[in-house]
Amino acid sequence: MDNAEYQRESLNQTVFDMLTLCTTQLEKACEAFISHDSDLAEEVMHTENRVNAMDIRIEKDCERFLALFNPVAVDLRFVMAILKINSDLERIGDHAFNISSYVVEEEHTIPTHLFEAVEFDKMIDTVKSMMENITVAYEEKDVKSARKVFKKDKVLDKINIKSFKTLEAEIQKDPAVIKEALFLFSVVKKLERVGDLIKNIAEDIIFYTDAEILKHKRKK
């Protein structure tokens, strides 16, 4: 293995570690939100420092790779994809942090019937499944796994669109839940954005494994 290959493999592993860390952060944030577990939420907020440190490290490693090896073709596509994937993962980490900060700052638990009304469990399960898809896609260079997220993202979009009217109706039934309903709506929006970020990552995985730029194809 030459130096460029070694550096590329090292970079690849670091991004996989970042993906694993951000997946764990998101899962713990969602668990803390549903159960209103402030200790778990504090752990997520504390671990955000590791996410930020990894983000900076990956950016610097990419810059070093570009400067040292002046990559072309597949290697250049790889570094471009890695930079974008890393940025999207960092933003997923931010969403996990923000969901957790709500749990720490707010004393009131979200009533179970509000979670059920917006199909929150379905949303969480869909996000988890999408994260699993991109993890397999990244680790195994499996574009089929990456493509699975596009249909699943539409599930998140539908839940997000329906949630506003659903929660509005719940507030009209019981104005006392207005604060909790608004916080829940905010988290639903965050998870919908996480879905978009996962979709971006899937496109970038496909971009460097298949050299298939989906954004143009899907416009047809």
Side-chain angles (χ1 to χ4, degrees):
M1 190 184 284
D2 63 22
N3 196 19
E5 208 176 327
Y6 173 78
Q7 293 295 337
R8 178 180 158 145
E9 199 44 54
S10 172
L11 185 54
N12 189 55
Q13 183 57 49
T14 309
V15 175
F16 184 74
D17 293 343
M18 175 75 157
L19 173 55
T20 305
L21 177 60
C22 290
T23 300
T24 304
Q25 285 286 90
L26 188 62
E27 285 179 359
K28 286 182 177 178
C30 290
E31 187 185 329
F33 182 67
I34 291 170
S35 59
H36 208 83
D37 184 339
S38 58
D39 291 337
L40 185 57
E42 288 274 13
E43 183 195 320
V44 173
M45 293 172 77
H46 179 73
T47 309
E48 171 71 359
N49 293 331
R50 274 183 63 203
V51 175
N52 292 336
M54 264 187 158
D55 170 46
I56 293 164
R57 180 186 161 186
I58 290 164
E59 274 191 15
K60 286 183 176 174
D61 286 351
C62 284
E63 286 167 11
R64 193 182 304 118
F65 191 90
L66 288 167
L68 285 175
F69 305 113
N70 196 19
V72 293
V74 175
D75 282 342
L76 182 59
R77 277 206 304 271
F78 169 74
V79 176
M80 284 170 63
I82 288 298
L83 281 166
K84 287 165 74 184
I85 289 168
N86 181 52
S87 171
D88 287 333
L89 286 172
E90 194 272 334
R91 285 165 69 195
I92 289 172
D94 285 346
H95 286 307
F97 178 90
N98 292 332
I99 292 167
S100 298
S101 65
Y102 157 75
V103 180
V104 171
E105 289 162 16
E106 288 301 318
E107 289 177 14
H108 299 291
T109 313
I110 307 277
T112 306
H113 74 276
L114 292 184
F115 283 127
E116 288 169 357
V118 297
E119 297 184 286
F120 197 73
D121 281 353
K122 185 179 179 181
M123 193 169 213
I124 299 265
D125 288 344
T126 305
V127 169
K128 279 184 184 174
S129 175
M130 289 169 78
M131 288 301 281
E132 284 166 12
N133 290 147
I134 58 164
T135 301
V136 170
Y138 187 86
E139 190 176 22
E140 298 178 11
K141 295 185 171 52
D142 178 5
V143 293
K144 284 185 179 177
S145 282
R147 290 189 185 112
K148 285 177 183 174
V149 306
F150 301 128
K151 194 183 285 184
K152 292 175 185 176
D153 184 57
K154 289 175 184 172
V155 174
L156 300 183
D157 291 341
K158 280 180 187 171
I159 292 172
N160 176 49
I161 290 163
K162 278 164 57 184
S163 67
F164 182 77
K165 282 190 176 178
T166 303
L167 290 170
E168 188 180 37
E170 292 293 334
I171 291 165
Q172 284 171 353
K173 275 192 270 180
D174 180 9
V177 300
I178 185 165
K179 195 175 184 183
E180 290 81 6
L182 290 173
F183 276 121
L184 178 55
F185 181 63
S186 169
V187 172
V188 167
K189 295 288 288 179
K190 283 178 175 56
L191 290 177
E192 189 270 332
R193 288 191 200 113
V194 166
D196 290 339
L197 293 167
I198 295 170
K199 195 170 67 171
N200 291 348
I201 292 167
E203 287 183 353
D204 288 323
I205 291 167
I206 292 165
F207 169 72
Y208 85 82
T209 51
D210 248 10
E212 180 182 337
I213 304 172
L214 271 192
K215 281 168 189 165
H216 296 299
K217 277 197 169 186
R218 283 165 61 203
K219 284 176 186 172
K220 289 183 182 178

